[in-house]
Amino acid sequence: MKHDRFKPAAGTLRTRVFQVIFESDTPLAKGFDIVLIGIILTSVLVVMLESVPALRDAYGPWFRRLEWGFTLLFTAELLVRLYCLERPWQYLRSFYGIIDVVAILPTWLALVLPGAQSLVVVRLLRTLRVFRVLRLMEFVGEGRLLIDALKRSGRQIFLFLFTVCMLITIFASLVYLIEPAEAGFTSIPASIYWAAVTLTTVGYGDIAPVTPLGQSISVMVMLIGYSIIAVPTGVFSAEVIRSIRADRYSEEACPGCGHDHHEKRARYCLRCGTWLDETTPDPRTLDEKTPRE
Amino acid sequence: MKHDRFKPAAGTLRTRVFQVIFESDTPLAKGFDIVLIGIILTSVLVVMLESVPALRDAYGPWFRRLEWGFTLLFTAELLVRLYCLERPWQYLRSFYGIIDVVAILPTWLALVLPGAQSLVVVRLLRTLRVFRVLRLMEFVGEGRLLIDALKRSGRQIFLFLFTVCMLITIFASLVYLIEPAEAGFTSIPASIYWAAVTLTTVGYGDIAPVTPLGQSISVMVMLIGYSIIAVPTGVFSAEVIRSIRADRYSEEACPGCGHDHHEKRARYCLRCGTWLDETTPDPRTLDEKTPRE
Amino acid sequence: MKHDRFKPAAGTLRTRVFQVIFESDTPLAKGFDIVLIGIILTSVLVVMLESVPALRDAYGPWFRRLEWGFTLLFTAELLVRLYCLERPWQYLRSFYGIIDVVAILPTWLALVLPGAQSLVVVRLLRTLRVFRVLRLMEFVGEGRLLIDALKRSGRQIFLFLFTVCMLITIFASLVYLIEPAEAGFTSIPASIYWAAVTLTTVGYGDIAPVTPLGQSISVMVMLIGYSIIAVPTGVFSAEVIRSIRADRYSEEACPGCGHDHHEKRARYCLRCGTWLDETTPDPRTLDEKTPRE
Amino acid sequence: MKHDRFKPAAGTLRTRVFQVIFESDTPLAKGFDIVLIGIILTSVLVVMLESVPALRDAYGPWFRRLEWGFTLLFTAELLVRLYCLERPWQYLRSFYGIIDVVAILPTWLALVLPGAQSLVVVRLLRTLRVFRVLRLMEFVGEGRLLIDALKRSGRQIFLFLFTVCMLITIFASLVYLIEPAEAGFTSIPASIYWAAVTLTTVGYGDIAPVTPLGQSISVMVMLIGYSIIAVPTGVFSAEVIRSIRADRYSEEACPGCGHDHHEKRARYCLRCGTWLDETTPDPRTLDEKTPRE
């Protein structure tokens, strides 16, 4: 469990609360998780709907009441969390602790912050409440295989993104030279925006080349973007396959010859025949001993 | 065959009709399948063409006559199906039974439903007839390998989609804060629509960022969308490869040593040499016995 | 060589011409190929440029002269081809023969066809000349590995496209019901065009949903399109990997035990140890014989 | 190291400067690299910002001063580079040497070139400075695995791009025949631009078909583009997987039987048991000898 370092000593009320809130082994803890997920999703939905002008005008007071309801709930939950933890301050500085605070902070700030009545700040604080959605990450689980594959392909995907950025810069500059400003290529940054839109095959069409030469170059950018998507996909596929395979192999060295690439279920070293499973005796030795006794 | 649980006892007329309609082993049954596929495709095409205003105005009566023709055909076919089945009610509640009913229901409802003359209901009932296309699923076959791979990668593709939704929500909120409402970012849901259009590289361009900061963030969203497509592709590729490989291996344990990862055509355990094929005798024992007799 | 069945008897002039035109082993034959590729590309380029109104107005007569030059060249080449072939009529009915004729037909037809002066026919004949580009397929070579992988994944990619078409039809009908005709969703075929544009992540934006419900469904279509691209990619990746691996294995059965999956360089059967290479003697037998003699 | 062929004799000042500039083993050399990367990125950013009209109007003199600062820095750096190299002229003709010159040339040219005051030339020279970004390629490192996989899949990806171009040409001509010029299909090149935009799933929407037949063909182009992306991805995935695997195997032939596909850590030939590691003695021979002495 990822919160084990905060776990209080066994047997107390705090331990039992801890188990309900931070673990998910018991029916009660599972129920708590499901209710919490439901409340988080509902509260994010309310934030979204409140941002629609028509709905805000019609149901403004209701949204505010609901919002205070969610904030009080999350605040109470955070207090209980801190109560049952061994090192509450350390939790508050952890990733999940910060998100717990971010989930309630905007509403409280709107109350106490001087000048929080200005439109910009109100809008900012309201929107920040959406980040509550990150609380759901706690329930996503580990996905070890995916994370393993991402970590190992990370360097090559960084190289790929770096190359993509360089291609975008170069082609953006070329098209900036060729296309007139009226077509939207007013500056290199604007052209970079166009090149990114084109190379990633998004293709808004708000800026598009109008000269034959510019269109030829943009066809080239499209074909490059269309083909090089194969690179991260290929790298990541290879890493996922490797992760699946690595799952089948142990890296523990054989005590006989040091070979360290055995299938996990192997019992004898494939290289020198040494018995690998140190917790049980080698049946070959048993066979030899049994008849003698 | 997927309808075997409904198969009546052999030798009767019902059995012969069952074989024509539900199986595809005999030439007659194959012919029936091909004619049925043709009729379904034609009837869906007619529904589509009827929805074109110009065509409906010109050939309205013809469309209605054709539609009644198809409905009577499908109704007759459904009655014959129910006649030759062991448990007709159970079939009606199965997936294919429901689709059979949905294929004819709208036309009959238009006749009997009070108020079915209102424009909205007429349009609804007419369009629902398109769902007839689902009847073709019966002929698609199993595609076991694909379904196996999908099932095994399902959890990770769900994780991926969940992450994509979270990214969409976060970036939509950011751009909603930055971009003016005039550019189309009128609410968080509208911004979510834009973020989905961008991250999936669809890129309609009906809503597009206009501020430099908004454009920078949208370039980031594009690059993320362009790269993370590698994730489901990699996961699914790995699973297809694993399915193909798994097809070659049996998981039956060797009676000698318990090893359970043999090629399906293996006859001796690759670990202890035990004879694996229990239906025929081990040739090594035969060799030993033959000379002795 | 793919044209070997048309090859005339050796030693004659026709054989030597055949070798230059249809084969590419000698320097002269390679030179001929390169010149031909150059002429084909140039003639296609001329057809393209002639279609630009401004260029046609300015250089019309030049384009016509060039076109007649290409047509006479290709006609002469075709006549020489037919002269040096064993079965010219059979060649004319083969894929490459048909393309050779299509490459020259439009220009000759424009001369003799009554009514070929009408604008539509002129435009048609002019544009058809572009199909000359297909002549280049003769030089592409085999790409056996790719074609092997395509053939084996063909059935699953057909299943995939069929599923995509069904998804497009269903979602198009749903959005046709929801969205107003003013937004472009005037009929089911128009909605199908929109759904295809969205699901394949092309996203022109000429038709885009305007109601919140329509936008929600279109976000769903986008996410589906974005994810299921993993299916053909995964299937094809797996088949390419299998093709590469199959290249390493022989399917010849072992004469000893019938096992038919050996690495191509294997010399002993991996199952029963029988000597596999029938053209040379087994070194083990040699070892036994040598000391005895 | 990629610049080793230019390395001067050891021990001199030039060697020490060489190590700082061209290598990255010492803390000083690493610091130099980081500072240089920072300066390159900053200077490219300045070029980009200078292209924004509003910023150029407001901070024009500052941009010019910064630009001269960068140019003098890069010029000094290039002179030091040439000073400490064995064969400076050969370096100037190498890839990295050319980029070093291109990085400073535009600014110096603007000073000395007659007519460099004309707007077009100024814009050209200013924009060319962006190519400085290519200097970062020196720091990208080798990415051997990716480059290996790219090289080996290069021929098949070329075949793929060739097929894509042929498809684009054919479909562009078809749609050019069908669609009216008013929809933007004014010539075959314009239609090729549209077909490329569609097949690569970019989808600007600046040109889009308006007739039902044209829309049907464009749906076909979309589905083809959506599916065949599987081809380069599959080929490249397979090659990356092969590269990773090849990394694990040695191709050195066994001195006993000639088998040439051993894991790199293998010590005995998997086929004939010969000791493979020629730098150390075979432990089996040692075992036999030890007891005798």
Side-chain angles (χ1 to χ4, degrees), chain A residues 159 166 173 176 188 194 198 201-203 226 260-261 271, chain D residues 51 123 130 137 140 201-204 225 229 233 265 267:
Chain A
L159 271 185
M166 239 163 58
S173 306
Y176 168 68
I188 297 183
W194 164 84
T198 304
T201 77
V202 169
Y226 186 62
D260 57 357
H261 190 69
R271 203 141 146 209
Chain D
S51 78
R123 199 182 182 193
V130 161
M137 279 178 64
V140 164
T201 75
V202 169
Y204 285 142
I229 185 67
T233 309
R265 61 182 147 198
R267 297 183 306 172

PDB file of all heavy atoms in Angstrom, chain A residues 159 166 173 176 188 194 198 201-203 226 260-261 271, chain D residues 51 123 130 137 140 201-204 225 229 233 265 267:
ATOM      1  N   LEU A 159      14.006  11.859 -27.185  1.00  0.00           N
ATOM      2  CA  LEU A 159      14.768  12.104 -28.416  1.00  0.00           C
ATOM      3  C   LEU A 159      13.817  12.367 -29.583  1.00  0.00           C
ATOM      4  O   LEU A 159      14.032  13.264 -30.401  1.00  0.00           O
ATOM      5  CB  LEU A 159      15.622  10.881 -28.766  1.00  0.00           C
ATOM      6  CG  LEU A 159      17.013  10.828 -28.181  1.00  0.00           C
ATOM      7  CD1 LEU A 159      17.759   9.636 -28.722  1.00  0.00           C
ATOM      8  CD2 LEU A 159      17.768  12.107 -28.495  1.00  0.00           C
ATOM      9  N   MET A 166      12.508  20.144 -33.511  1.00  0.00           N
ATOM     10  CA  MET A 166      13.469  20.719 -34.453  1.00  0.00           C
ATOM     11  C   MET A 166      12.869  20.765 -35.855  1.00  0.00           C
ATOM     12  O   MET A 166      12.990  21.782 -36.560  1.00  0.00           O
ATOM     13  CB  MET A 166      14.759  19.923 -34.436  1.00  0.00           C
ATOM     14  CG  MET A 166      15.935  20.798 -34.062  1.00  0.00           C
ATOM     15  SD  MET A 166      17.358  19.823 -33.558  1.00  0.00           S
ATOM     16  CE  MET A 166      17.624  18.833 -34.993  1.00  0.00           C
ATOM     17  N   SER A 173      10.066  27.984 -40.175  1.00  0.00           N
ATOM     18  CA  SER A 173      10.852  29.101 -40.698  1.00  0.00           C
ATOM     19  C   SER A 173      10.778  29.141 -42.213  1.00  0.00           C
ATOM     20  O   SER A 173      10.645  30.214 -42.822  1.00  0.00           O
ATOM     21  CB  SER A 173      12.310  28.956 -40.256  1.00  0.00           C
ATOM     22  OG  SER A 173      12.385  28.809 -38.868  1.00  0.00           O
ATOM     23  N   TYR A 176       7.391  30.382 -43.202  1.00  0.00           N
ATOM     24  CA  TYR A 176       7.299  31.805 -42.836  1.00  0.00           C
ATOM     25  C   TYR A 176       7.933  32.668 -43.923  1.00  0.00           C
ATOM     26  O   TYR A 176       7.443  33.753 -44.242  1.00  0.00           O
ATOM     27  CB  TYR A 176       7.991  32.027 -41.489  1.00  0.00           C
ATOM     28  CG  TYR A 176       8.232  33.462 -41.132  1.00  0.00           C
ATOM     29  CD1 TYR A 176       7.180  34.321 -40.838  1.00  0.00           C
ATOM     30  CD2 TYR A 176       9.525  33.978 -41.083  1.00  0.00           C
ATOM     31  CE1 TYR A 176       7.412  35.641 -40.501  1.00  0.00           C
ATOM     32  CE2 TYR A 176       9.768  35.300 -40.746  1.00  0.00           C
ATOM     33  CZ  TYR A 176       8.703  36.125 -40.463  1.00  0.00           C
ATOM     34  OH  TYR A 176       8.929  37.444 -40.130  1.00  0.00           O
ATOM     35  N   ILE A 188       7.414  33.930 -36.844  1.00  0.00           N
ATOM     36  CA  ILE A 188       7.889  32.554 -36.704  1.00  0.00           C
ATOM     37  C   ILE A 188       7.067  31.805 -35.649  1.00  0.00           C
ATOM     38  O   ILE A 188       6.664  30.669 -35.892  1.00  0.00           O
ATOM     39  CB  ILE A 188       9.401  32.518 -36.398  1.00  0.00           C
ATOM     40  CG1 ILE A 188      10.175  33.124 -37.576  1.00  0.00           C
ATOM     41  CG2 ILE A 188       9.859  31.084 -36.171  1.00  0.00           C
ATOM     42  CD1 ILE A 188      11.677  33.081 -37.410  1.00  0.00           C
ATOM     43  N   TRP A 194       1.401  26.703 -36.696  1.00  0.00           N
ATOM     44  CA  TRP A 194       0.889  26.037 -37.896  1.00  0.00           C
ATOM     45  C   TRP A 194       1.624  24.718 -38.137  1.00  0.00           C
ATOM     46  O   TRP A 194       1.000  23.702 -38.434  1.00  0.00           O
ATOM     47  CB  TRP A 194       1.042  26.941 -39.124  1.00  0.00           C
ATOM     48  CG  TRP A 194       0.889  26.180 -40.386  1.00  0.00           C
ATOM     49  CD1 TRP A 194      -0.275  25.867 -41.013  1.00  0.00           C
ATOM     50  CD2 TRP A 194       1.923  25.581 -41.160  1.00  0.00           C
ATOM     51  NE1 TRP A 194      -0.019  25.111 -42.129  1.00  0.00           N
ATOM     52  CE2 TRP A 194       1.316  24.919 -42.237  1.00  0.00           C
ATOM     53  CE3 TRP A 194       3.328  25.528 -41.041  1.00  0.00           C
ATOM     54  CZ2 TRP A 194       2.052  24.214 -43.198  1.00  0.00           C
ATOM     55  CZ3 TRP A 194       4.057  24.833 -41.984  1.00  0.00           C
ATOM     56  CH2 TRP A 194       3.422  24.187 -43.047  1.00  0.00           C
ATOM     57  N   THR A 198       0.121  20.918 -38.213  1.00  0.00           N
ATOM     58  CA  THR A 198       0.206  20.090 -39.416  1.00  0.00           C
ATOM     59  C   THR A 198       0.951  18.788 -39.154  1.00  0.00           C
ATOM     60  O   THR A 198       0.490  17.707 -39.522  1.00  0.00           O
ATOM     61  CB  THR A 198       0.909  20.880 -40.535  1.00  0.00           C
ATOM     62  OG1 THR A 198       0.197  22.083 -40.740  1.00  0.00           O
ATOM     63  CG2 THR A 198       0.946  20.074 -41.817  1.00  0.00           C
ATOM     64  N   THR A 201      -0.756  16.097 -37.408  1.00  0.00           N
ATOM     65  CA  THR A 201      -1.970  15.728 -38.148  1.00  0.00           C
ATOM     66  C   THR A 201      -3.252  16.212 -37.477  1.00  0.00           C
ATOM     67  O   THR A 201      -4.317  15.647 -37.712  1.00  0.00           O
ATOM     68  CB  THR A 201      -2.066  14.214 -38.413  1.00  0.00           C
ATOM     69  OG1 THR A 201      -2.472  13.545 -37.233  1.00  0.00           O
ATOM     70  CG2 THR A 201      -0.778  13.627 -38.925  1.00  0.00           C
ATOM     71  N   VAL A 202      -3.153  17.264 -36.641  1.00  0.00           N
ATOM     72  CA  VAL A 202      -4.369  17.836 -36.060  1.00  0.00           C
ATOM     73  C   VAL A 202      -5.136  18.591 -37.145  1.00  0.00           C
ATOM     74  O   VAL A 202      -6.292  18.306 -37.414  1.00  0.00           O
ATOM     75  CB  VAL A 202      -4.030  18.751 -34.859  1.00  0.00           C
ATOM     76  CG1 VAL A 202      -5.244  19.549 -34.440  1.00  0.00           C
ATOM     77  CG2 VAL A 202      -3.530  17.914 -33.696  1.00  0.00           C
ATOM     78  N   GLY A 203      -4.463  19.567 -37.791  1.00  0.00           N
ATOM     79  CA  GLY A 203      -5.046  20.222 -38.947  1.00  0.00           C
ATOM     80  C   GLY A 203      -6.292  21.039 -38.678  1.00  0.00           C
ATOM     81  O   GLY A 203      -7.334  20.797 -39.261  1.00  0.00           O
ATOM     82  N   TYR A 226       2.952  11.962 -40.737  1.00  0.00           N
ATOM     83  CA  TYR A 226       2.194  10.718 -40.890  1.00  0.00           C
ATOM     84  C   TYR A 226       3.093   9.498 -40.726  1.00  0.00           C
ATOM     85  O   TYR A 226       2.669   8.475 -40.189  1.00  0.00           O
ATOM     86  CB  TYR A 226       1.574  10.727 -42.288  1.00  0.00           C
ATOM     87  CG  TYR A 226       0.630   9.619 -42.613  1.00  0.00           C
ATOM     88  CD1 TYR A 226      -0.544   9.440 -41.904  1.00  0.00           C
ATOM     89  CD2 TYR A 226       0.899   8.760 -43.668  1.00  0.00           C
ATOM     90  CE1 TYR A 226      -1.419   8.428 -42.234  1.00  0.00           C
ATOM     91  CE2 TYR A 226       0.031   7.749 -44.009  1.00  0.00           C
ATOM     92  CZ  TYR A 226      -1.129   7.587 -43.288  1.00  0.00           C
ATOM     93  OH  TYR A 226      -1.994   6.580 -43.614  1.00  0.00           O
ATOM     94  N   ASP A 260      22.108 -15.498 -15.016  1.00  0.00           N
ATOM     95  CA  ASP A 260      21.043 -14.737 -14.355  1.00  0.00           C
ATOM     96  C   ASP A 260      19.866 -14.436 -15.278  1.00  0.00           C
ATOM     97  O   ASP A 260      19.313 -13.343 -15.272  1.00  0.00           O
ATOM     98  CB  ASP A 260      21.607 -13.425 -13.797  1.00  0.00           C
ATOM     99  CG  ASP A 260      22.258 -12.601 -14.897  1.00  0.00           C
ATOM    100  OD1 ASP A 260      22.309 -13.084 -16.049  1.00  0.00           O
ATOM    101  OD2 ASP A 260      22.715 -11.494 -14.600  1.00  0.00           O
ATOM    102  N   HIS A 261      19.478 -15.372 -16.111  1.00  0.00           N
ATOM    103  CA  HIS A 261      18.331 -15.130 -16.995  1.00  0.00           C
ATOM    104  C   HIS A 261      17.536 -16.429 -17.100  1.00  0.00           C
ATOM    105  O   HIS A 261      17.510 -17.079 -18.146  1.00  0.00           O
ATOM    106  CB  HIS A 261      18.847 -14.657 -18.362  1.00  0.00           C
ATOM    107  CG  HIS A 261      17.769 -14.159 -19.263  1.00  0.00           C
ATOM    108  ND1 HIS A 261      17.078 -12.997 -19.043  1.00  0.00           N
ATOM    109  CD2 HIS A 261      17.243 -14.679 -20.402  1.00  0.00           C
ATOM    110  CE1 HIS A 261      16.196 -12.819 -20.007  1.00  0.00           C
ATOM    111  NE2 HIS A 261      16.272 -13.831 -20.837  1.00  0.00           N
ATOM    112  N   ARG A 271      22.027 -23.723 -17.516  1.00  0.00           N
ATOM    113  CA  ARG A 271      23.396 -23.736 -18.020  1.00  0.00           C
ATOM    114  C   ARG A 271      24.233 -24.822 -17.358  1.00  0.00           C
ATOM    115  O   ARG A 271      24.962 -25.532 -18.000  1.00  0.00           O
ATOM    116  CB  ARG A 271      24.013 -22.380 -17.722  1.00  0.00           C
ATOM    117  CG  ARG A 271      25.140 -22.057 -18.625  1.00  0.00           C
ATOM    118  CD  ARG A 271      25.078 -20.603 -18.967  1.00  0.00           C
ATOM    119  NE  ARG A 271      26.405 -20.058 -19.123  1.00  0.00           N
ATOM    120  CZ  ARG A 271      26.718 -18.808 -18.885  1.00  0.00           C
ATOM    121  NH1 ARG A 271      25.806 -17.992 -18.428  1.00  0.00           N
ATOM    122  NH2 ARG A 271      27.910 -18.374 -19.114  1.00  0.00           N
TER     123      ARG A 271
ATOM    124  N   SER D  51      10.745  38.044 -34.884  1.00  0.00           N
ATOM    125  CA  SER D  51       9.884  37.954 -36.072  1.00  0.00           C
ATOM    126  C   SER D  51       8.456  38.406 -35.783  1.00  0.00           C
ATOM    127  O   SER D  51       7.669  38.572 -36.706  1.00  0.00           O
ATOM    128  CB  SER D  51       9.883  36.526 -36.608  1.00  0.00           C
ATOM    129  OG  SER D  51       9.031  35.712 -35.825  1.00  0.00           O
ATOM    130  N   ARG D 123      14.719  39.775 -44.389  1.00  0.00           N
ATOM    131  CA  ARG D 123      13.842  38.757 -43.816  1.00  0.00           C
ATOM    132  C   ARG D 123      14.463  37.375 -43.963  1.00  0.00           C
ATOM    133  O   ARG D 123      14.444  36.566 -43.037  1.00  0.00           O
ATOM    134  CB  ARG D 123      12.497  38.806 -44.548  1.00  0.00           C
ATOM    135  CG  ARG D 123      11.408  38.157 -43.761  1.00  0.00           C
ATOM    136  CD  ARG D 123      10.092  38.160 -44.504  1.00  0.00           C
ATOM    137  NE  ARG D 123       9.071  37.565 -43.678  1.00  0.00           N
ATOM    138  CZ  ARG D 123       7.877  37.189 -44.117  1.00  0.00           C
ATOM    139  NH1 ARG D 123       7.550  37.383 -45.370  1.00  0.00           N
ATOM    140  NH2 ARG D 123       7.021  36.619 -43.309  1.00  0.00           N
ATOM    141  N   VAL D 130      17.526  30.843 -37.618  1.00  0.00           N
ATOM    142  CA  VAL D 130      16.839  29.792 -36.871  1.00  0.00           C
ATOM    143  C   VAL D 130      17.560  28.450 -37.012  1.00  0.00           C
ATOM    144  O   VAL D 130      17.524  27.613 -36.113  1.00  0.00           O
ATOM    145  CB  VAL D 130      15.377  29.673 -37.345  1.00  0.00           C
ATOM    146  CG1 VAL D 130      14.783  28.339 -36.957  1.00  0.00           C
ATOM    147  CG2 VAL D 130      14.540  30.784 -36.753  1.00  0.00           C
ATOM    148  N   MET D 137      21.900  19.213 -32.461  1.00  0.00           N
ATOM    149  CA  MET D 137      22.016  17.805 -32.860  1.00  0.00           C
ATOM    150  C   MET D 137      23.296  17.164 -32.338  1.00  0.00           C
ATOM    151  O   MET D 137      23.359  15.965 -32.110  1.00  0.00           O
ATOM    152  CB  MET D 137      21.972  17.675 -34.378  1.00  0.00           C
ATOM    153  CG  MET D 137      20.566  17.725 -34.913  1.00  0.00           C
ATOM    154  SD  MET D 137      20.583  17.618 -36.689  1.00  0.00           S
ATOM    155  CE  MET D 137      21.256  15.971 -36.922  1.00  0.00           C
ATOM    156  N   VAL D 140      22.577  15.453 -29.106  1.00  0.00           N
ATOM    157  CA  VAL D 140      21.504  14.475 -29.031  1.00  0.00           C
ATOM    158  C   VAL D 140      22.049  13.084 -28.730  1.00  0.00           C
ATOM    159  O   VAL D 140      21.369  12.255 -28.141  1.00  0.00           O
ATOM    160  CB  VAL D 140      20.681  14.487 -30.342  1.00  0.00           C
ATOM    161  CG1 VAL D 140      19.838  13.245 -30.453  1.00  0.00           C
ATOM    162  CG2 VAL D 140      19.819  15.718 -30.399  1.00  0.00           C
ATOM    163  N   THR D 201      -4.708  12.284 -42.699  1.00  0.00           N
ATOM    164  CA  THR D 201      -5.654  12.604 -41.621  1.00  0.00           C
ATOM    165  C   THR D 201      -5.385  13.965 -40.984  1.00  0.00           C
ATOM    166  O   THR D 201      -5.760  14.205 -39.840  1.00  0.00           O
ATOM    167  CB  THR D 201      -5.691  11.524 -40.507  1.00  0.00           C
ATOM    168  OG1 THR D 201      -4.525  11.648 -39.709  1.00  0.00           O
ATOM    169  CG2 THR D 201      -5.792  10.132 -41.068  1.00  0.00           C
ATOM    170  N   VAL D 202      -4.712  14.878 -41.730  1.00  0.00           N
ATOM    171  CA  VAL D 202      -4.524  16.237 -41.211  1.00  0.00           C
ATOM    172  C   VAL D 202      -5.873  16.962 -41.253  1.00  0.00           C
ATOM    173  O   VAL D 202      -6.345  17.456 -40.237  1.00  0.00           O
ATOM    174  CB  VAL D 202      -3.443  16.985 -42.016  1.00  0.00           C
ATOM    175  CG1 VAL D 202      -3.441  18.458 -41.657  1.00  0.00           C
ATOM    176  CG2 VAL D 202      -2.075  16.383 -41.732  1.00  0.00           C
ATOM    177  N   GLY D 203      -6.471  17.049 -42.446  1.00  0.00           N
ATOM    178  CA  GLY D 203      -7.824  17.589 -42.553  1.00  0.00           C
ATOM    179  C   GLY D 203      -7.977  19.048 -42.217  1.00  0.00           C
ATOM    180  O   GLY D 203      -8.741  19.396 -41.316  1.00  0.00           O
ATOM    181  N   TYR D 204      -7.279  19.954 -42.942  1.00  0.00           N
ATOM    182  CA  TYR D 204      -7.474  21.387 -42.700  1.00  0.00           C
ATOM    183  C   TYR D 204      -8.941  21.775 -42.878  1.00  0.00           C
ATOM    184  O   TYR D 204      -9.488  22.531 -42.099  1.00  0.00           O
ATOM    185  CB  TYR D 204      -6.674  22.212 -43.701  1.00  0.00           C
ATOM    186  CG  TYR D 204      -5.198  22.267 -43.441  1.00  0.00           C
ATOM    187  CD1 TYR D 204      -4.297  22.231 -44.493  1.00  0.00           C
ATOM    188  CD2 TYR D 204      -4.709  22.379 -42.154  1.00  0.00           C
ATOM    189  CE1 TYR D 204      -2.937  22.315 -44.272  1.00  0.00           C
ATOM    190  CE2 TYR D 204      -3.351  22.452 -41.924  1.00  0.00           C
ATOM    191  CZ  TYR D 204      -2.461  22.425 -42.985  1.00  0.00           C
ATOM    192  OH  TYR D 204      -1.146  22.501 -42.766  1.00  0.00           O
ATOM    193  N   GLY D 225      -6.260   6.010 -45.486  1.00  0.00           N
ATOM    194  CA  GLY D 225      -5.223   6.686 -44.717  1.00  0.00           C
ATOM    195  C   GLY D 225      -5.202   6.228 -43.264  1.00  0.00           C
ATOM    196  O   GLY D 225      -4.141   6.052 -42.673  1.00  0.00           O
ATOM    197  N   ILE D 229      -1.680   3.536 -42.048  1.00  0.00           N
ATOM    198  CA  ILE D 229      -0.695   3.995 -41.070  1.00  0.00           C
ATOM    199  C   ILE D 229      -0.125   2.788 -40.322  1.00  0.00           C
ATOM    200  O   ILE D 229       0.970   2.830 -39.774  1.00  0.00           O
ATOM    201  CB  ILE D 229      -1.331   5.004 -40.096  1.00  0.00           C
ATOM    202  CG1 ILE D 229      -0.289   5.581 -39.146  1.00  0.00           C
ATOM    203  CG2 ILE D 229      -2.449   4.380 -39.285  1.00  0.00           C
ATOM    204  CD1 ILE D 229       0.708   6.438 -39.824  1.00  0.00           C
ATOM    205  N   THR D 233       4.198   1.700 -39.106  1.00  0.00           N
ATOM    206  CA  THR D 233       4.277   1.414 -37.677  1.00  0.00           C
ATOM    207  C   THR D 233       4.645  -0.045 -37.452  1.00  0.00           C
ATOM    208  O   THR D 233       5.516  -0.347 -36.633  1.00  0.00           O
ATOM    209  CB  THR D 233       2.918   1.737 -37.026  1.00  0.00           C
ATOM    210  OG1 THR D 233       2.543   3.045 -37.411  1.00  0.00           O
ATOM    211  CG2 THR D 233       2.997   1.635 -35.540  1.00  0.00           C
ATOM    212  N   ARG D 265      26.303 -13.511 -23.628  1.00  0.00           N
ATOM    213  CA  ARG D 265      26.937 -14.003 -22.409  1.00  0.00           C
ATOM    214  C   ARG D 265      27.196 -15.500 -22.455  1.00  0.00           C
ATOM    215  O   ARG D 265      27.674 -16.072 -21.473  1.00  0.00           O
ATOM    216  CB  ARG D 265      26.093 -13.654 -21.201  1.00  0.00           C
ATOM    217  CG  ARG D 265      24.720 -14.266 -21.228  1.00  0.00           C
ATOM    218  CD  ARG D 265      23.961 -13.803 -20.019  1.00  0.00           C
ATOM    219  NE  ARG D 265      22.556 -13.689 -20.375  1.00  0.00           N
ATOM    220  CZ  ARG D 265      21.684 -12.997 -19.670  1.00  0.00           C
ATOM    221  NH1 ARG D 265      22.066 -12.353 -18.610  1.00  0.00           N
ATOM    222  NH2 ARG D 265      20.430 -12.961 -20.049  1.00  0.00           N
ATOM    223  N   ARG D 267      28.941 -18.955 -22.858  1.00  0.00           N
ATOM    224  CA  ARG D 267      30.351 -19.317 -22.763  1.00  0.00           C
ATOM    225  C   ARG D 267      30.637 -20.606 -23.521  1.00  0.00           C
ATOM    226  O   ARG D 267      31.721 -20.846 -23.984  1.00  0.00           O
ATOM    227  CB  ARG D 267      30.742 -19.452 -21.299  1.00  0.00           C
ATOM    228  CG  ARG D 267      30.579 -18.108 -20.558  1.00  0.00           C
ATOM    229  CD  ARG D 267      31.032 -18.221 -19.147  1.00  0.00           C
ATOM    230  NE  ARG D 267      30.330 -19.339 -18.502  1.00  0.00           N
ATOM    231  CZ  ARG D 267      30.622 -19.785 -17.292  1.00  0.00           C
ATOM    232  NH1 ARG D 267      31.612 -19.225 -16.597  1.00  0.00           N
ATOM    233  NH2 ARG D 267      29.958 -20.768 -16.760  1.00  0.00           N
TER     234      ARG D 267
END
